């Protein structure tokens, strides 16, 4: 593993990062995403990322949230789906976007400059365990986030769906 990647993983696991990152990383990502016409997220220099547009569970308003993800590629290398991790940077409560997906699983993502309609599914049981193991290999700090909280971190699989009117 490259030295820079190990350093980033170590820093992203610290309590200081957890206190600061939720306030600045999403705002920076939204700004960069908007300025580049959806082609770039600053945080993708660390992990793959997307912008989730979901419907608010309580408000019904559209909510745009930049998130790290684990792409799930098919055998031919095409984007089959994405895994979202409700780690909330290792803070106690579930992130709001995860409640939005539970209430309204149909959403949209911006992925590499493309808008893609998706349906979210909360992972449970053996499927969740298999994905969790893959996530820990993909980004080990998730394990430290889970160790800090009593709740089980929610994992969602996003799968493409047919866009309305097609």
């Amino acid at each position: 593993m490259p030295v820079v990647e190990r350093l980033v993983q170590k820093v992203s696991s610290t309590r200081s990062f957890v206190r600061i990152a939720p306030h600045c990383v999403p705002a920076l990502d939204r700004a960069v995403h908007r300025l580049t016409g959806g082609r770039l997220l600053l945080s993708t220099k660390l992990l793959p990322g997307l912008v989730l547009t979901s419907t608010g569970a309580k408000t019904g308003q559209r909510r745009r949230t930049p998130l790290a993800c684990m792409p799930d590629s098919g055998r031919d290398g095409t984007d089959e789906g994405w895994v979202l991790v409700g780690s909330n940077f290792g803070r106690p409560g579930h992130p709001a976007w995860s409640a939005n997906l539970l209430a309204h699983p149909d959403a949209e993502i911006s992925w590499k400059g493309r808008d893609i309609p998706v349906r979210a599914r909360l992972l449970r049981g053996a499927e969740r365990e298999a994905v969790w193991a893959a996530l820990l290999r993909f980004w080990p700090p998730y394990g430290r986030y889970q160790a800090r909280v009593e709740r089980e971190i929610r994992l969602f699989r996003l799968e493409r769906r047919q866009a309305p009117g097609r």
Side-chain angles (χ1 to χ4, degrees):
M1 176 186 319
V3 173
V4 172
E5 187 174 339
R6 279 197 313 266
L7 179 64
V8 168
Q9 287 184 8
K10 188 171 189 108
V11 168
S12 69
S13 298
T14 65
R15 293 189 188 276
S16 297
F17 180 84
V18 169
R19 278 194 303 273
I20 296 166
H23 305 290
C24 61
V25 172
L28 286 171
D29 265 344
R30 276 191 287 274
V32 169
H33 188 260
R34 188 174 47 253
L35 291 171
T36 63
R39 291 183 305 279
L40 182 65
L41 287 171
L42 191 60
S43 62
T44 59
K45 298 301 179 190
L46 304 175
L47 286 169
L50 53 79
V51 175
L52 173 69
T53 303
S54 60
T55 303
K58 295 178 183 174
T59 66
Q61 302 282 331
R62 288 174 52 92
R63 302 289 183 205
R64 293 177 55 82
T65 311
L67 298 168
C69 68
M70 184 175 75
D72 184 11
S73 298
R75 290 189 186 110
D76 61 358
T78 59
D79 300 320
E80 291 290 314
W82 300 263
V83 174
L84 298 182
V85 183
S87 68
N88 207 12
F89 294 95
R91 296 184 300 171
H94 291 290
W97 63 262
S98 72
N100 295 347
L101 290 181
L102 290 173
H104 305 284
D106 286 349
E108 186 176 274
I109 61 170
S110 176
W111 172 252
K112 297 181 180 178
R114 296 185 328 259
D115 292 333
I116 302 169
V118 294
R119 177 162 294 122
R121 184 169 50 84
L122 180 66
L123 300 182
R124 299 180 188 276
E127 182 182 23
R128 185 198 182 282
E129 294 307 312
V131 170
W132 182 252
L135 280 165
L136 293 180
R137 288 189 301 276
F138 180 71
W139 191 248
Y142 286 134
R144 290 187 282 284
Y145 290 171
Q146 181 63 78
R148 283 193 195 123
V149 297
E150 292 181 21
R151 67 182 173 87
E152 181 178 77
I153 290 176
R154 291 175 177 161
L155 304 181
F156 290 87
R157 182 177 305 282
L158 302 181
E159 296 166 335
R160 290 175 183 268
R161 65 178 168 84
Q162 194 70 355
R166 287 194 182 173

